[in-house]
């Protein structure tokens, strides 16, 4: 993989990683290259183009993100043979993301769909889900939307995650609930087909 990152910058990143986590320089270098490779592949996802970003623009934003830092540090610890530390490091990042998504959801006004439990329950009921089951699925949907937040289009770039969540429509929530319910039930092929339909509709 070719990267626009200058070799000296790579050396500095590796040195910082080795110093901060006490990993071997070779482990730091291996982790950095693997993480850059992962985000390089991600930058060519059709969702990136739909958001109006070039691969280079996406990479430039991605390498400054908390997800890049978390993946890099966990990969370095894993490459250094410290599996437990790597797992704890990654789990701490995920927990921070979950907490941020929860706070954003709690801030959604009650006039918006995702801020209205009764409206959410009605949609779940139309899909044959109990209120309790729907309530269990909503946090997963919120986290999924938060994970996709970097892919927002240029006209949405200024919006907060709470703003994005407040814009979810009834049709979108219905599709997301159906997809998440199928996944939770282990019906992966049907879930994948539903996801493809959601992605086609987003184009």
């Amino acid at each position: 993989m070719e990267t626009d990152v200058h070799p000296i910058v790579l050396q500095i990143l590796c040195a910082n990683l080795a110093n901060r986590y006490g990993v071997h320089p070779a482990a730091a270098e291996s982790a950095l290259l693997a993480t850059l490779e992962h985000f390089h592949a991600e930058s060519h996802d059709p969702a990136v183009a739909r958001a109006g970003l070039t691969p280079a623009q996406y990479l430039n934003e991605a390498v400054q993100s908390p997800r890049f830092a978390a993946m890099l540090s966990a990969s370095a610890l894993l490459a250094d043979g410290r599996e437990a530390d790597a797992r704890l490091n990654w789990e701490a990042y995920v927990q921070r993301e979950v907490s941020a998504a929860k706070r954003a959801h709690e801030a959604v006004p009650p006039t918006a769909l995702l801020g209205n439990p009764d409206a959410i329950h009605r949609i779940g009921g139309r899909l044959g889900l109990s209120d309790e089951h729907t309530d269990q699925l909503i946090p997963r949907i919120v986290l999924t939307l938060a994970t996709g937040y970097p892919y927002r289009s240029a006209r949405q770039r200024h919006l907060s995650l709470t703003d994005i969540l407040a814009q979810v429509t009834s049709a979108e929530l219905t599709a997301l609930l159906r997809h998440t319910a199928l996944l939770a039930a282990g019906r992966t092929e049907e879930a994948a087909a539903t996801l493809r339909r959601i992605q086609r509709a987003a184009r």
Side-chain angles (χ1 to χ4, degrees):
M1 179 200 75
E2 292 185 4
T3 174
D4 293 332
V5 183
H6 195 280
I8 294 177
V9 175
L10 291 177
Q11 290 174 13
I12 292 171
L13 285 171
C14 285
N16 288 342
L17 197 58
N19 289 335
R20 182 172 181 183
Y21 294 99
V23 298
H24 192 279
E29 182 177 357
S30 171
L32 180 57
L33 293 176
T35 305
L36 285 170
E37 178 68 40
H38 174 90
F39 280 86
H40 179 265
E42 224 177 57
S43 72
H44 290 84
D45 189 297
V48 172
R50 286 199 298 272
L53 295 172
T54 66
Q57 288 170 329
Y58 175 80
L59 270 178
N60 185 54
E61 291 188 16
V63 297
Q64 302 173 64
S65 70
R67 187 164 66 97
F68 182 90
M71 188 174 291
L72 177 58
S73 56
S75 297
L77 290 165
L78 191 60
D80 204 46
R82 294 160 57 186
E83 292 87 354
D85 288 340
R87 186 178 65 255
L88 288 172
N89 188 285
W90 181 254
E91 288 175 354
Y93 161 73
V94 171
Q95 190 52 54
R96 289 193 298 272
E97 291 296 292
V98 168
S99 296
K102 183 179 179 181
R103 288 194 301 274
H105 185 207
E106 288 172 346
V108 172
T111 51
L113 179 60
L114 273 176
N116 186 336
D118 291 337
I120 292 171
H121 291 161
R122 284 196 293 273
I123 291 173
R126 288 199 293 269
L127 294 174
L129 305 172
S130 68
D131 290 354
E132 183 180 0
H133 192 189
T134 300
D135 289 339
Q136 290 169 355
L137 297 178
I138 288 298
R140 300 188 201 180
I141 290 172
V142 170
L143 185 59
T144 298
L145 292 170
T147 304
Y149 183 53
Y151 295 114
R152 65 198 186 284
S153 65
R155 62 185 175 79
Q156 295 182 319
R157 205 69 46 80
H158 66 290
L159 299 177
S160 69
L161 178 55
T162 295
D163 294 332
I164 297 290
L165 295 177
Q167 292 186 0
V168 173
T169 66
S170 177
E172 289 168 341
L173 184 57
T174 300
L176 289 165
L177 263 175
R178 184 181 293 115
H179 172 255
T180 309
L182 289 169
L183 269 184
R187 295 159 63 180
T188 53
E189 289 186 10
E190 293 173 75
T194 300
L195 180 60
R196 286 194 293 273
R197 287 194 294 272
I198 293 172
Q199 291 172 332
R200 282 198 298 271
R203 287 175 188 167

